[in-house]
Amino acid sequence: MNKTVSIVIPCRNEENYIGKCLESFINQTYPKDLLKIIVSDGMSTDNTRNVIKDLQKEHDNIILLDNKGLSAPKGMNLGIRHTDSDIVIIFGAHSYADKDFVLENVRALENEEVGCAGGLITTINDTTKGAAIAEAMSCPFGVGNALFRYAEKEAYVDTVAFGAYRRTLLEEIGLFDEELVRNQDDELNFRVEKSGAKILLSPKIKSTYYGRGDFRKLWRQYYQYGFWKVRVIQKHKRPASIRHLIPLAFVLFLVGGGILSTFSSFIKNAYFLILGLYILLDLFFSLKISFSKSIKYLFYLVVSFPILHISYGLGFILGLLNFYIFKSSKIEERNKTTSR
C-alpha cells in the first residue's frame, strides 16, 4: 500500500476548528511521507491562517494555498491541481477525521471497480439544541436514505460526503463544478457513476462533523441544498435518487393540499389525515431519540425535522423557478462560502 494521498480542505474563517481538523490528519496511521495536507483558504480574516502557519512550522506536509476565488469548489479544484497524488480526498474544515480515515479510504480504493470512497459521518455539537439538530441529521426520518449519516454496513451508494477519488478518474471526468454553491460533491459523484465507476460507502471510514447549532443556520443550509440540487438535476437531466424529490412533494402537498381542502371536505379530511400522520412520525422519532439520548432534546427534535424537510423543499421550488423559469444561475452568488 504505497499510494500517495492528498487531503484538500477548503476553508474560510475557521479558527475554532481548523487546528483540530489538521491535527487529525497529522496523527493518521497512514505513512506521513505519502500524505499531503492542502488547505485552500478563502483569504480568512480571523486567526485561521496563523493556526495553519503554526502547524506548518512542525509539519512540512501541510500546504497553505490562497483561494482568491473564495468559493468552496474553486478551493477544492485549486488544491487538486496543486498536487499529483494518486488519491485525492476532499475534507471539511468544520470536521475531523478518525486516525484510520486515510488508511481505510486507500483500502476501499484497492477495489478497481471503485472510483470514489467515503464513510460514516458523526454529527456533533456542544449545545443541547445543536446536539438535538445533529441527531435529527443522523436519523432516516430526517435525511431519508442518506446512508453516510447512519449506515452500519458497507454499500454502494449514489453519493458520499468527504469523498476519496482516484486521480485518474478525476482526469477522465473533470473536477468540481465551480458554478455550484452547494451540492458540488453530489454533482461530481453523479459523473463518477455515469463513467461506470462505483461509489463505495464504508463504515470503517469515520469522521466527525460539527453541525449547525441553531435553527436559522440549519434552515439556510438545507434551503441551499434543495436550491442547488435543481441545478445538478438540470445539468444531468435526472435526479441521482428519488429521495431528492420527496421534500419537494411534501411542500407541494402542504401548500396545494391546504388550498384544495377549502373546496372539498373529502380533500380536507385526507389532507389532515396525512398531516396528522406526519406529526405522529415527527413525535415518534423525536421521542425515540430523546428517550435514548436526552429528554432535553425533545422540543428541538420536533422542530428540527420539519425544518429539514420544508427548507429543502422550498429551496427546491425556488431552484425550479430560478433555473427553469428565469434561466438564471446567479441568484445565489452572494451565498458562496469556502467552508464545508
Side-chain angles (χ1 to χ4, degrees):
M1 188 176 296
N2 59 353
K3 299 289 186 181
T4 54
V5 179
S6 287
I7 312 297
V8 176
I9 305 169
C11 81
R12 176 177 168 80
N13 293 340
E14 293 285 358
E15 63 180 359
N16 294 326
Y17 301 96
I18 191 64
K20 187 166 186 177
C21 176
L22 294 180
E23 286 171 1
S24 73
F25 288 106
I26 291 168
N27 297 318
Q28 288 289 301
T29 56
Y30 200 72
K32 181 179 178 180
D33 61 325
L34 298 176
L35 184 63
K36 289 183 181 179
I37 307 166
I38 301 173
V39 183
S40 295
D41 181 66
M43 315 312 294
S44 291
T45 55
D46 64 358
N47 199 44
T48 296
R49 297 173 72 88
N50 290 330
V51 173
I52 299 169
K53 289 176 180 178
D54 285 343
L55 288 169
Q56 279 184 304
K57 295 173 183 177
E58 300 178 14
H59 305 280
D60 58 9
N61 63 337
I62 296 177
I63 300 167
L64 175 61
L65 302 179
D66 292 340
N67 174 22
K68 296 181 179 179
L70 301 185
S71 75
K74 288 181 179 179
M76 298 172 197
N77 290 343
L78 177 68
I80 294 170
R81 293 188 180 106
H82 187 80
T83 176
D84 59 357
S85 297
D86 300 315
I87 295 171
V88 175
I89 300 176
I90 305 299
F91 204 73
H94 225 64
S95 314
Y96 61 90
D98 178 77
K99 62 183 178 62
D100 294 323
F101 180 85
V102 174
L103 177 65
E104 293 297 343
N105 268 300
V106 174
R107 284 176 173 169
L109 290 172
E110 287 180 340
N111 182 342
E112 293 296 329
E113 291 185 318
V114 177
C116 171
L120 187 65
I121 297 178
T122 300
T123 305
I124 63 171
N125 194 278
D126 295 332
T127 67
T128 299
K129 181 192 289 188
I133 290 172
E135 291 294 336
M137 293 173 65
S138 303
C139 174
F141 179 65
V143 295
N145 66 336
L147 294 179
F148 63 86
R149 297 286 187 186
Y150 57 84
E152 296 179 354
K153 297 180 180 180
E154 190 174 280
Y156 289 117
V157 295
D158 58 72
T159 193
V160 290
F162 303 158
Y165 301 89
R166 297 180 187 277
R167 172 169 291 280
T168 53
L169 179 62
L170 292 177
E171 291 173 348
E172 175 188 339
I173 67 174
L175 305 185
F176 287 92
D177 188 329
E178 295 186 357
E179 174 195 342
L180 300 177
V181 171
R182 294 280 187 182
N183 303 98
Q184 309 96 347
D185 43 3
D186 284 350
E187 193 280 330
L188 180 60
N189 291 335
F190 209 131
R191 282 184 274 139
V192 169
E193 284 200 306
K194 288 175 71 173
S195 75
K198 293 183 178 181
I199 301 172
L200 180 68
L201 174 71
S202 171
K204 294 179 181 179
I205 303 169
K206 300 175 183 178
S207 61
T208 301
Y209 168 76
Y210 290 97
R212 271 35 177 193
D214 64 66
F215 294 140
R216 183 181 63 82
K217 291 179 180 179
L218 181 66
W219 177 282
R220 180 180 176 84
Q221 178 184 11
Y222 274 78
Y223 167 83
Q224 288 185 335
Y225 283 155
F227 185 94
W228 286 99
K229 180 61 67 177
V230 175
R231 184 63 177 130
V232 175
I233 293 173
Q234 185 182 48
K235 285 174 177 284
H236 293 281
K237 314 302 182 186
R238 63 180 178 85
S241 171
I242 192 67
R243 78 167 185 271
H244 300 142
L245 304 179
I246 293 175
L248 165 67
F250 179 60
V251 172
L252 290 176
F253 160 77
L254 289 177
V255 177
I259 294 172
L260 293 175
S261 66
T262 62
F263 298 100
S264 166
S265 59
F266 173 78
I267 295 176
K268 182 178 181 179
N269 291 335
Y271 177 75
F272 282 105
L273 178 65
I274 296 172
L275 185 59
L277 177 61
Y278 176 84
I279 293 172
L280 285 175
L281 287 171
D282 185 0
L283 288 171
F284 171 78
F285 283 102
S286 298
L287 286 166
K288 181 180 179 182
I289 294 171
S290 297
F291 286 145
S292 65
K293 300 290 184 177
S294 171
I295 197 64
K296 294 179 181 179
Y297 292 177
L298 181 58
F299 170 76
Y300 300 121
L301 284 164
V302 170
V303 176
S304 294
F305 286 126
I307 287 177
L308 290 171
H309 303 148
I310 295 173
S311 62
Y312 190 107
L314 283 175
F316 203 105
I317 291 171
L318 268 293
L320 289 172
L321 292 173
N322 183 64
F323 295 114
Y324 282 95
I325 305 301
F326 299 112
K327 309 292 185 181
S328 171
S329 62
K330 303 299 183 183
I331 195 170
E332 286 285 309
E333 286 291 312
R334 64 186 181 276
N335 291 330
K336 287 189 176 181
T337 174
T338 52
S339 296
R340 303 183 75 226

